[in-house]
Amino acid sequence: MLKRQEAECRLKEIFGFDHFYDDQWSVIEKVFNKERVLVIQKTGFGKSLCYQFPATQFNGLTIVFSPLIALMRDQVTSLNNKGIAAQCINSNQTQEKNDAVIEQAKKGELKILYIAPERQGSVSWQEAVRQMKISMVVVDEAHCISQWGHDFRPDFRRIVDLVKILPVDIPVLAVTATATQRVQDDIQEQIGNGMSVIRGNLLRENLRLFVVKVKSENEKKIRIAEYLKNCEGSGLIYTGTRVNTAVYADWLNYVGIKAAMYNGSLEAETRVDIERGLQENRWKAIVSTNALGMGVDKPDIRFIIHTQMPQSPIHYYQEIGRAGRDGLPADIILFYNENRDDAGESFDEKLPLSFINNAKPKIPEYEAVVEALKNEPLGERGVMEKLNMKQTPVRTILADLVEQKIIFKNDGGKYEYKYDAPELKTESFEKLRLAKLEDLNAMIGYVNTTEPRMDYLRKYLGDKIDIPSSNCDNTNLKGFLDNSLHSDLWTNLKTFKNERFPELVPKKTSSLDIGYALDNYIQEAGEIGQILHHCKYENGGDFPDELVARMARMVQKKLSAQHFDMLLYVPPTISGDLVKNFAEKLTVRIGVPLSHDLKKMRLTEAQKIPQNAILKRSNVKDAFGFASPEILVGKNILLLDDIYDSGATMNEIAKMLKKNGAETVTPIVIAKTVGGDL
């Protein structure tokens, strides 16, 4: 076996580092000894080197399973720059690119192959992996294997299936920065074969931890803007919803702080550009959901801010772990809204509670999928269409049914009911929900604790505390952000809320041009979403004139450079003349001629009934026509509706209008939702 002195010479030559940490070398020795080992070490320890270096020394291929597409890309680029043949397979690449990478792996042209666990379901991968000379298997973010982990993914179970059929002399390395004792035990049991554990100290002395309690969501925006105006460097702001990524990014840009939003609804190319921009310090802050995940390999992140409380201390420790990897101080700030609603529920506890309670689909949905597959084999899309279900719950159900050996995936990529299959077991679902509620209560405990905050997190993760830490607002860092309530930014915030008009950016395949909404669809007191809901679903009468005036102001502010030949409105399904009446008032204010010639040619369901974009598109396909299509040639059209969700209705209309010669079709709506599910 390679001795440490010789290994460090090769380390210097390939990676530029002088030596390994002792714990790193302990892991690498076990890998060279062809052992199975779980490594639990804090972010910044250098876990990736524990498999990247051995991979360069083995004759065959090292396969790295990782859920973090952004991190895959970064690491592949870094390895290639060092002359190491590495590639990745993921859903953001074309099928042609993924197929080409598989061929490289089969031919022995790669040292390291990163693959997203979800890709294991493809028949081409299952066939190809049998033809690869595998020298090591790595499970990155290994906590995802365990249902008790904070980011469990059913597709990680397939990794376990692969590991179980590997020869015993192929090493398996699982790495994570966060694993409670329960998660550790679960991973060891699943990987098996005497898997050992190397658990490090989780203390991050350079992270300065703060909890800032506020009285409103507006106060969060003010305090964050004040902080960013005075802090050094760049960082991340995590929000709980896609809507808030847009709201906070727009707010920060409005007050002169460069920010970009990031969430799972963005095009793959856009996400890649934002990730690159983060590395290049193009922005002061990236405002993201956990879609940005832990795939951030930037050592000098100077702050991480959470606008809403995560579901558990495990989530929180993982997300803040990306800050200060260079060892220099970094600020970790959690904002917590103390206000409670009439029922006594905390505003900031509602969101994580809803995530927990909705983590598993309802039992009747499981039963419906089983019954459907008893009748015929179906792919994921087929289940979605047949049962009118969204993609996320369908994926969860299929994964659970496969795990319980009730169904299986055939060679054609479809799911089949297994003859004489066992009954569905649901006891574990409730057990898991209760465990996650305990985690949430522990996170609330973090907000309210008076002990050192780093110690609180470490103890929850099973770390031993030798000396109390002193790097938080409960110790020697009191008085943080106390002056924000007297900020001049309150006036800016009021103006911002009146002038912010969310952009509607259609997919590349859409026939729509870029348009705008008055606001996001948020059903809170005084918000536009609540007003719209009252008028549309509670017989509240016409949309109020104040919304007409605001729409006219939006057109003048955002679209004044464009000339429009006519204003059209989407024909109703269930809301009567609400949109028509709104259009008749709007045409007077903006001076664009109104036409009533856009017609519905057949009956459709309300678009809120189909639960996925496939069925939404089918519901409105070829459903619209225009009374005098010859007048559309060369025309620039404003297209009005009340709600923009998946965009399927307006896109179908735009396709018809452009087919008849319209030049542009610009959507304008009262409210924009977070968008439809694929």
Side-chain angles (χ1 to χ4, degrees):
M1 188 183 73
L2 191 64
K3 299 300 183 184
R4 180 168 182 171
Q5 185 175 0
E6 175 61 22
E8 289 183 337
C9 289
R10 297 185 189 183
L11 175 72
K12 178 69 173 179
E13 181 182 332
I14 301 170
F15 292 92
F17 300 126
D18 292 323
H19 57 81
F20 296 106
Y21 298 132
D22 288 344
D23 277 0
Q24 282 179 324
W25 180 246
S26 296
V27 175
I28 291 169
E29 274 191 315
K30 288 179 177 291
V31 168
F32 282 150
N33 280 330
K34 305 186 185 304
E35 297 179 30
R36 296 185 175 185
V37 57
L38 169 62
V39 178
I40 305 168
Q41 290 280 5
K42 61 190 175 188
T43 300
F45 165 79
K47 294 184 288 293
S48 59
L49 196 62
C50 292
Y51 60 82
Q52 288 178 353
F53 177 77
T56 65
Q57 306 303 304
F58 289 138
N59 290 326
L61 175 71
T62 291
I63 298 178
V64 182
F65 291 100
S66 172
L68 310 176
I69 294 176
L71 192 59
M72 281 188 200
R73 285 194 289 260
D74 284 350
Q75 295 206 353
V76 166
T77 299
S78 176
L79 289 165
N80 290 165
N81 289 339
K82 293 177 174 68
I84 301 167
Q87 287 290 352
C88 62
I89 297 173
N90 62 67
S91 58
N92 283 356
Q93 294 179 169
T94 65
Q95 187 60 48
E96 292 76 16
K97 171 65 174 174
N98 285 334
D99 288 344
V101 171
I102 286 177
E103 285 303 311
Q104 283 183 280
K106 285 161 58 177
K107 292 176 181 177
E109 296 174 357
L110 299 177
K111 278 291 184 184
I112 301 178
L113 173 62
Y114 290 86
I115 180 169
E118 292 77 9
R119 304 297 298 176
Q120 295 177 93
S122 72
V123 176
S124 60
W125 167 257
Q126 292 169 2
E127 293 175 351
V129 74
R130 298 187 184 100
Q131 303 173 48
M132 298 175 188
K133 183 182 178 182
I134 301 173
S135 57
M136 176 167 57
V137 170
V138 179
V139 186
D140 198 9
E141 307 299 333
H143 53 270
C144 297
I145 283 182
S146 173
Q147 66 171 337
W148 310 110
H150 72 278
D151 193 22
F152 169 61
R153 303 196 183 196
D155 286 294
F156 263 69
R157 297 289 202 191
R158 293 178 183 168
I159 302 173
V160 176
D161 294 337
L162 171 64
V163 166
K164 285 180 178 177
I165 63 173
L166 288 174
V168 294
D169 62 345
I170 292 182
V172 177
L173 175 63
V175 298
T176 179
T178 48
T180 60
Q181 188 64 47
R182 183 184 227 173
V183 172
Q184 174 185 314
D185 294 344
D186 193 15
I187 295 171
Q188 284 181 280
E189 182 179 348
Q190 290 189 63
I191 300 295
N193 201 31
M195 183 178 225
S196 61
V197 178
I198 295 180
R199 180 185 276 273
N201 184 308
L202 299 179
L203 174 62
R204 295 288 306 280
E205 294 175 306
N206 62 317
L207 301 187
R208 298 155 32 100
L209 277 61
F210 305 90
V211 172
V212 180
K213 295 184 177 180
V214 299
K215 300 297 183 184
S216 69
E217 295 303 290
N218 287 340
E219 189 182 338
K220 289 179 184 177
K221 294 181 179 67
I222 296 295
R223 286 179 176 267
I224 288 172
E226 281 285 357
Y227 170 79
L228 293 181
K229 280 179 173 289
N230 296 292
C231 74
E232 298 293 328
S234 61
L236 305 176
I237 300 175
Y238 283 111
T239 70
T241 65
R242 292 179 180 181
V243 167
N244 270 338
T245 63
V247 171
Y248 274 90
D250 288 349
W251 159 242
L252 295 175
N253 282 303
Y254 184 78
V255 294
I257 299 168
K258 292 189 70 175
M261 75 165 184
Y262 186 107
N263 62 59
S265 70
L266 299 178
E267 298 273 10
E269 291 179 7
T270 302
R271 294 201 297 271
V272 171
D273 183 63
I274 293 171
E275 293 159 15
R276 188 180 301 118
L278 173 64
Q279 301 292 346
E280 297 170 355
N281 294 314
R282 281 190 232 155
W283 299 285
K284 183 72 173 179
I286 304 293
V287 187
S288 179
T289 60
N290 59 10
L292 190 58
M294 298 304 99
V296 181
D297 191 16
K298 180 176 168 63
D300 59 342
I301 290 175
R302 294 274 69 87
F303 59 84
I304 288 182
I305 297 171
H306 281 73
T307 69
Q308 286 157 312
M309 185 176 62
Q311 293 178 47
S312 74
I314 314 169
H315 283 83
Y316 193 57
Y317 184 86
Q318 180 85 354
E319 289 170 6
I320 69 176
R322 290 295 155 181
R325 291 184 59 186
D326 56 5
L328 298 177
D331 289 337
I332 307 300
I333 309 167
L334 170 62
F335 285 92
Y336 179 79
N337 188 341
E338 294 183 288
N339 275 359
R340 296 183 177 272
D341 61 18
D342 294 338
E345 292 184 324
S346 162
F347 180 85
D348 272 10
E349 292 167 25
K350 282 183 180 180
L351 185 66
L353 187 59
S354 70
F355 286 151
I356 291 168
N357 286 331
N358 296 313
K360 288 287 188 185
K362 302 294 185 288
I363 302 304
E365 292 178 312
Y366 279 87
E367 294 169 344
V369 172
V370 171
E371 287 305 311
L373 295 178
K374 281 182 179 179
N375 293 327
E376 60 178 321
L378 293 168
E380 179 184 285
R381 179 170 177 151
V383 174
M384 291 167 62
E385 292 185 57
K386 194 171 187 69
L387 298 178
N388 187 22
M389 293 175 64
K390 294 183 178 181
Q391 185 181 60
T392 299
V394 166
R395 282 187 172 174
T396 300
I397 290 170
L398 291 174
D400 285 341
L401 293 178
V402 168
E403 185 180 354
Q404 293 195 25
K405 295 181 170 47
I406 296 170
I407 65 173
F408 66 95
K409 198 168 189 180
N410 64 28
D411 292 339
K414 292 186 176 181
Y415 293 90
E416 285 189 47
Y417 180 74
K418 199 169 183 179
Y419 175 72
D420 203 22
E423 292 293 315
L424 175 68
K425 296 178 181 178
T426 61
E427 301 86 356
S428 63
F429 298 173
E430 179 62 11
K431 189 176 181 182
L432 179 61
R433 189 182 75 86
L434 294 175
K436 290 187 178 296
L437 288 176
E438 289 179 9
D439 286 343
L440 178 58
N441 286 331
M443 191 65 219
I444 297 169
Y446 172 82
V447 169
N448 295 310
T449 187
T450 56
E451 71 175 293
R453 297 193 186 277
M454 180 60 71
D455 294 356
Y456 184 98
L457 295 175
R458 290 173 62 198
K459 280 193 285 188
Y460 193 79
L461 286 162
D463 208 5
K464 295 179 180 178
I465 312 298
D466 297 324
I467 302 173
S469 59
S470 59
N471 55 342
C472 72
D473 51 3
N474 285 339
T475 53
N476 64 348
L477 299 175
K478 298 181 184 297
F480 190 69
L481 292 181
D482 281 350
N483 299 321
S484 299
L485 290 181
H486 306 292
S487 171
D488 295 335
L489 291 174
W490 285 99
T491 302
N492 296 79
L493 183 58
K494 184 177 180 180
T495 308
F496 165 77
K497 296 187 78 171
N498 287 329
E499 293 185 356
R500 177 182 179 266
F501 304 112
E503 196 173 52
L504 305 178
V505 184
K507 301 288 186 181
K508 288 183 178 180
T509 55
S510 175
S511 296
L512 288 165
D513 296 276
I514 292 176
Y516 295 91
L518 290 189
D519 206 347
N520 295 103
Y521 192 94
I522 303 172
Q523 284 194 61
E524 293 172 18
E527 297 286 355
I528 282 177
Q530 186 194 53
I531 297 169
L532 191 153
H533 190 274
H534 174 68
C535 296
K536 187 167 182 171
Y537 302 115
E538 299 173 350
N539 298 315
D542 279 351
F543 298 127
D545 289 346
E546 66 184 84
L547 294 189
V548 181
R550 185 165 174 172
M551 180 74 78
R553 192 165 71 248
M554 181 185 81
V555 172
Q556 182 179 22
K557 182 177 177 63
K558 293 294 187 180
L559 300 168
S560 60
Q562 297 173 240
H563 167 74
F564 294 101
D565 299 294
M566 68 176 74
L567 171 66
L568 302 179
Y569 56 90
V570 175
T573 302
I574 60 171
S575 55
D577 290 335
L578 279 175
V579 180
K580 174 188 173 185
N581 295 343
F582 191 93
E584 289 176 342
K585 296 175 183 178
L586 181 64
T587 187
V588 176
R589 289 179 178 263
I590 64 176
V592 177
L594 175 65
S595 169
H596 298 279
D597 287 348
L598 178 61
K599 304 292 184 183
K600 186 171 280 189
M601 310 303 290
R602 62 174 176 81
L603 290 175
T604 63
E605 291 183 306
Q607 278 291 73
K608 69 185 214 175
I609 294 175
Q611 292 299 299
N612 57 67
I614 299 167
L615 294 180
K616 287 180 187 290
R617 289 193 295 267
S618 177
N619 183 44
V620 296
K621 184 174 175 57
D622 300 325
F624 302 95
F626 197 81
S628 306
E630 66 277 0
I631 71 171
L632 293 171
V633 178
K635 295 297 192 292
N636 296 303
I637 297 170
L638 264 181
L639 180 60
L640 171 71
D641 203 0
D642 49 6
I643 299 175
Y644 184 98
D645 182 42
S646 69
T649 300
M650 299 187 93
N651 180 51
E652 184 66 23
I653 293 171
K655 186 166 64 174
M656 180 274 295
L657 295 173
K658 288 190 173 180
K659 187 176 180 179
N660 284 290
E663 186 68 25
T664 62
V665 181
T666 303
I668 52 173
V669 299
I670 296 174
K672 170 190 176 184
T673 72
V674 297
D677 193 4
L678 179 55

